[in-house]
Amino acid sequence: MAEAAAFAALWVPFCRKHDIEPRNPESYFGLRRDPTKNKRRQDFVRDRRRVKREYDEFKVRVNGLPDAIRRRSDAFNAREEMKQMRRMKEAAAAGDQDVMIEVVKVKKATWMADGTHWPGTWAVTALEHGKGDHASILQVMLKPAMAEAMYGRESGEQLGIDFTEVDVRLPMLVYVSREKRPGYDHNKKAGAMNALVRASAVMSNGPFILNLDCDHYIYNAVAIREAMCFLIDHGGEDICFIQFPQRFEGIDPNDRYANNNTVFFDGNMRALDGLQGPMYVGTGCIFRRFALYGFDPPPAASNSTPSHHPHFVVAETDSFRPQSFYDDELNPSFLPKRFGNSSALVESIPIAELQGRPLADYQSSLYCRPPGLLRIPRPPLSTSSISEAVAVISCWFEDKTEWGDRVGWIYGSVTEDVVTGYRMHNRGWRSVYCITAGRDAFRGSAPINLTDRLHQVLRWATGSVEIFFSRNNALLASNRLYFLQRVAYLNVGLYPFTSVFLLVYCFLPALSLFSGHFIVETLSVSFLVYLLVISITLTLLAILEVRWSGVGLEEWWRNEQFWLISGTSAHLAAVMQGMLKVVAGIEISFTLTAKSAVDEEDDAFADLYMVKWTSLMIPPITIMMVNIIAIAVGFARTIYSSRPDWSKLLGGGFFSFWVLIHLYPFAKGLMGRRGKTPTIVFVWSGLIAITISLLWVAISPPQGSEAAASMGGFQFT
């Protein structure tokens, strides 16, 4: 982060000067297009060449940091040990036993280049100095910028880049690592986000918060400004967050495992935007800070009385005294019980509510509008504010508070993002789905390997099952949640249970072929008409959704295929795992082991062809083998039958083939790049085939002429 902050002093002014997009240097320099397109300044080529050279050197330094830090730490640790040995020898020579007793062995530590300890790296773990056992760490990498624009050539002076007309200010950059101690439940991502909310409230108290995963970055610099248009415009006082769609890089062109989730992000989420708003999906989201504090939204302007409408009263001292709907809830005597014993944190909450109001609230007030609330200069950082920020990220701070229960990110679920968004909607807040025109707002990476993708879906489905069996079930929602929004959240908790019906759907054609009876007893005209109407209706609905959302047919089909793959594997496992946890209190995990890798290291999609075995693959393999064997059994029965009924074979075979087509991406994933199926797949396939054959013989043993026919016409006596 220190290296990145130093490079940003050059990169950010360069982006502002030449209007660079995207502002991720790796993505920008990797674009395959003419970089001079639409660039009018004559010095662009020279500046770009010099910044590119500096970026290449920056990457070399960053990639060499692990080895450099290790060598530096070894040298400093060896120097400290030599000092201790010298002191002990001097004490021994002087016969001073007290000094020898006081001299203790220096603990090995990680050292910075300036010769100081860095407590946030645990190359050599020790007591109270390890990944899960350390004090709070807060390091200010870049100090807060000045309120006024600062022009100059400081950042590019050594490289000869002219920044005289460019604002060279950089935002404050702070590294935060919350305290962790053995025996404390740190609540993973949700706990880390709540710690960041508290630390930022004390240090900067920005009214809006951008949440990105570590594998996402900003791809459109205007995206945050577009979100501001919703949050501070008229009618935006009850908007809790702005959710952007997730867009990914590094996915294979065919998107074999539907990693883009196009149907969800371009169909479902856009549809929810017409209700109470889209769900929070954990990244690419801008929050109103005050909404994260667990308060109810203000009443709608059309339904509120003048006394409830937020406004400002001008006192004789020309200061502004805020009056709002939250005056009772913002009573300082009540806030510590909810937010913890930090005066700085408690004092920041009314200010966050004040700064986060839409501009229309001030324009329509009875008195006057305070000038530039969002641009009020913040006081410089002090030792006391940093010490307070360190205190609010301690592991004990949340004890006997409402953090994780009503305030901030909600604890107790694997999918804390969905639960957090649900709680906000349940209190009456609404959200907005923002799709930026032209360039995507954010870009990220996704697991393109079959096993990794299945485990990702398993985690989501497990969280959904937890939601269904918790008080966050939409059936228990308040009347502030819209009816259709309630149905949408109810679907979040119910969809893993559709795996039971998918299993029946996949095995029913095979049972039809094994038994020799069609799925239905008679193909009457009324049944065929009913089936035709249902099929046409579903087809028209699919076409309507595809046309409305703009999803391509290939993307829609990939989504259908992976829905069956994940439904018969990850969703089924999540239901079993959730039921065992709820009923018996037993927790199980599905492990994976790498079985084969790819030789080509330069292939961008090498991970796509890597085969890792996991127990989640057993149900889809079973479905494939059962249907293949069923087709073979049905074909053999029809050929050797005295009166072959080809219609039953075609009917059952068509539905079995339909199931196998859905599982085609799964089969390709098992075969890897060159079609080499792992040995474990053959072992499981053989066991399944033998089990099915023995089970079928035990259930319906051939007798008499049937046995003779099955043996090719030979009969033994």
Side-chain angles (χ1 to χ4, degrees):
M1 289 186 67
E3 290 285 354
F7 176 72
L10 174 67
W11 172 253
V12 173
F14 168 72
C15 293
R16 290 172 179 164
K17 178 180 179 181
H18 297 289
D19 194 20
I20 299 299
E21 288 282 358
R23 297 195 176 182
N24 180 324
E26 188 69 18
S27 298
Y28 171 71
F29 289 120
L31 292 177
R32 297 182 179 180
R33 58 175 175 80
D34 183 11
T36 61
K37 187 177 180 180
N38 299 326
K39 303 301 179 185
R40 300 178 180 179
R41 300 187 64 111
Q42 296 181 354
D43 57 352
F44 169 72
V45 175
R46 182 188 61 187
D47 291 353
R48 184 182 185 277
R49 186 183 301 115
R50 292 176 178 175
V51 172
K52 178 65 167 61
R53 182 181 61 191
E54 185 66 22
Y55 179 61
D56 291 337
E57 295 177 357
F58 160 74
K59 290 197 294 185
V60 171
R61 292 196 303 271
V62 170
N63 292 332
L65 276 178
D67 183 61
I69 292 174
R70 180 186 56 79
R71 288 187 284 104
R72 178 202 307 149
S73 298
D74 290 344
F76 274 96
N77 289 328
R79 184 196 65 182
E80 292 299 313
E81 291 179 356
M82 291 295 295
K83 288 182 179 179
Q84 291 290 73
M85 292 295 296
R86 190 183 308 113
R87 289 184 59 190
M88 292 182 65
K89 290 181 180 179
E90 292 175 355
D96 192 346
Q97 297 295 328
D98 294 336
V99 175
M100 294 181 63
I101 293 175
E102 292 178 359
V103 174
V104 294
K105 187 176 181 180
V106 175
K107 295 181 180 179
K108 292 185 178 180
T110 303
W111 297 75
M112 295 293 284
D114 59 359
T116 58
H117 282 189
W118 172 246
T121 307
W122 304 282
V124 181
T125 59
L127 183 63
E128 298 185 356
H129 186 78
K131 186 175 181 180
D133 184 14
H134 63 85
S136 302
I137 304 169
L138 192 147
Q139 179 76 21
V140 179
M141 298 292 183
L142 293 175
K143 295 181 180 180
M146 300 173 58
E148 299 80 13
M150 183 174 65
Y151 303 93
R153 47 182 293 122
E154 291 84 353
S155 301
E157 187 175 10
Q158 297 178 352
L159 297 177
I161 300 179
D162 184 13
F163 288 150
T164 54
E165 300 179 358
V166 182
D167 187 358
V168 298
R169 289 178 301 169
L170 296 177
M172 180 171 61
L173 177 64
V174 181
Y175 172 82
V176 178
S177 180
R178 56 194 168 129
E179 181 184 14
K180 287 189 176 181
R181 298 300 181 191
Y184 276 85
D185 186 2
H186 303 291
N187 297 297
K188 302 176 182 177
K189 176 183 176 180
M193 295 301 299
N194 286 339
L196 285 172
V197 170
R198 295 192 296 271
S200 63
V202 174
M203 300 186 70
S204 63
N205 201 30
F208 308 113
I209 297 173
L210 171 63
N211 168 220
L212 288 179
D213 276 352
C214 59
D215 57 353
H216 280 66
Y217 66 91
I218 298 176
Y219 196 69
N220 188 343
V222 190
I224 300 178
R225 184 178 299 173
E226 291 195 19
M228 296 299 102
C229 293
F230 292 102
L231 291 167
I232 66 177
D233 200 4
H234 177 67
E237 62 275 355
D238 60 344
I239 296 177
C240 55
F241 62 82
I242 310 296
Q243 179 64 62
F244 292 86
Q246 290 190 39
R247 306 301 187 198
F248 302 99
E249 294 177 338
I251 297 177
D252 58 297
N254 294 325
D255 194 11
R256 181 185 296 178
Y257 305 122
N259 290 94
N260 283 312
N261 291 322
T262 312
V263 173
F264 175 75
F265 286 112
D266 291 345
N268 297 6
M269 295 286 277
R270 287 180 63 188
L272 285 173
D273 196 39
L275 303 177
Q276 205 167 341
M279 294 177 289
Y280 167 48
V281 297
T283 182
C285 188
I286 296 182
F287 284 92
R288 186 187 302 276
R289 178 185 290 272
F290 192 72
L292 283 170
Y293 288 154
F295 294 101
D296 294 339
S302 59
N303 299 329
S304 61
T305 61
S307 61
H308 281 172
H309 193 79
H311 62 276
F312 285 79
V313 177
V314 182
E316 295 181 356
T317 58
D318 293 332
S319 61
F320 297 100
R321 178 172 61 87
Q323 292 183 351
S324 75
F325 172 73
Y326 304 102
D327 282 346
D328 294 336
E329 293 187 82
L330 294 179
N331 191 324
S333 61
F334 298 147
L335 293 181
K337 299 178 182 179
R338 175 182 292 187
F339 298 97
N341 293 319
S342 170
S343 57
L345 176 61
V346 169
E347 292 171 0
S348 71
I349 295 172
I351 299 176
E353 189 270 333
L354 180 69
Q355 292 182 334
R357 295 178 186 173
L359 297 177
D361 285 350
Y362 308 120
Q363 294 170 351
S364 61
S365 64
L366 300 178
Y367 297 94
C368 65
R369 173 190 175 189
L373 279 175
L374 293 176
R375 297 188 178 183
I376 295 177
R378 295 185 176 91
L381 288 178
S382 61
T383 305
S384 59
S385 62
I386 296 178
S387 300
E388 191 72 17
V390 172
V392 299
I393 59 175
S394 61
C395 58
W396 51 264
F397 185 83
E398 295 183 354
D399 294 347
K400 298 181 180 180
T401 67
E402 295 186 8
W403 285 98
D405 181 35
R406 179 183 174 90
V407 179
W409 272 255
I410 307 302
Y411 301 154
S413 175
V414 178
T415 52
E416 71 287 328
D417 45 7
V418 176
V419 176
T420 301
Y422 164 77
R423 291 287 188 89
M424 292 182 177
H425 285 143
N426 196 33
R427 287 195 293 269
W429 293 93
R430 62 186 179 95
S431 58
V432 171
Y433 197 52
C434 182
I435 302 178
T436 53
R439 185 180 299 275
D440 298 332
F442 308 100
R443 287 278 183 95
S445 60
I448 63 174
N449 181 266
L450 173 61
T451 305
D452 296 337
R453 177 76 166 123
L454 289 178
H455 277 264
Q456 181 189 54
V457 175
L458 173 63
R459 186 173 66 253
W460 295 342
T462 302
S464 296
V465 174
E466 291 176 352
I467 291 174
F468 181 79
F469 288 110
S470 70
R471 61 174 178 168
N472 297 309
N473 190 316
L475 292 174
L476 308 176
S478 68
N479 55 6
R480 297 183 179 181
L481 194 69
Y482 295 178
F483 173 75
L484 291 179
Q485 191 83 10
R486 186 191 302 262
V487 173
Y489 272 113
L490 185 61
N491 175 68
V492 172
L494 280 176
Y495 80 85
F497 295 94
T498 60
S499 58
V500 179
F501 303 98
L502 276 177
L503 282 181
V504 177
Y505 178 87
C506 294
F507 282 116
L508 197 59
L511 294 177
S512 173
L513 291 171
F514 279 130
S515 63
H517 299 287
F518 195 55
I519 297 175
V520 294
E521 187 173 352
T522 58
L523 291 175
S524 62
V525 176
S526 59
F527 173 77
L528 290 176
V529 171
Y530 171 76
L531 184 62
L532 181 63
V533 171
I534 292 295
S535 301
I536 293 176
T537 303
L538 292 175
T539 303
L540 291 177
L541 283 174
I543 294 175
L544 177 63
E545 291 177 352
V546 167
R547 294 286 297 175
W548 173 77
S549 62
V551 177
L553 287 176
E554 183 179 2
E555 295 172 323
W556 176 83
W557 174 240
R558 285 284 181 263
N559 185 83
E560 293 296 311
Q561 287 180 310
F562 191 74
W563 174 257
L564 189 140
I565 294 171
S566 60
T568 55
S569 57
H571 296 176
L572 181 65
V575 172
M576 295 171 52
Q577 187 170 320
M579 295 296 291
L580 287 174
K581 183 177 180 180
V582 172
V583 176
I586 301 175
E587 294 192 20
I588 59 175
S589 60
F590 297 86
T591 58
L592 59 93
T593 54
K595 291 298 180 183
S596 64
V598 182
D599 298 332
E600 293 83 350
E601 296 181 356
D602 57 344
D603 189 350
F605 307 116
D607 192 48
L608 177 68
Y609 310 105
M610 184 177 296
V611 181
K612 303 176 184 178
W613 171 253
T614 173
S615 52
L616 295 176
M617 296 179 177
I618 296 177
I621 291 176
T622 305
I623 292 172
M624 286 193 302
M625 292 304 303
V626 168
N627 280 276
I628 292 173
I629 295 173
I631 293 175
V633 169
F635 185 74
R637 178 187 290 110
T638 304
I639 288 180
Y640 291 110
S641 177
S642 57
R643 296 188 338 190
D645 190 348
W646 293 98
S647 61
K648 291 183 178 180
L649 175 63
L650 291 176
F654 170 78
F655 288 113
S656 287
F657 186 67
W658 178 250
V659 172
L660 293 174
I661 288 178
H662 280 78
L663 291 171
Y664 176 70
F666 178 82
K668 287 192 67 175
L670 290 180
M671 291 185 292
R673 178 192 294 275
R674 308 185 190 282
K676 296 180 179 180
T677 307
T679 306
I680 188 69
V681 175
F682 289 110
V683 172
W684 273 105
S685 301
L687 290 175
I688 293 170
I690 294 172
T691 303
I692 293 173
S693 302
L694 294 176
L695 184 62
W696 186 253
V697 171
I699 295 175
S700 179
Q703 297 178 356
S705 59
E706 294 183 5
S710 64
M711 294 180 180
F714 293 98
Q715 191 171 10
F716 297 94
T717 59

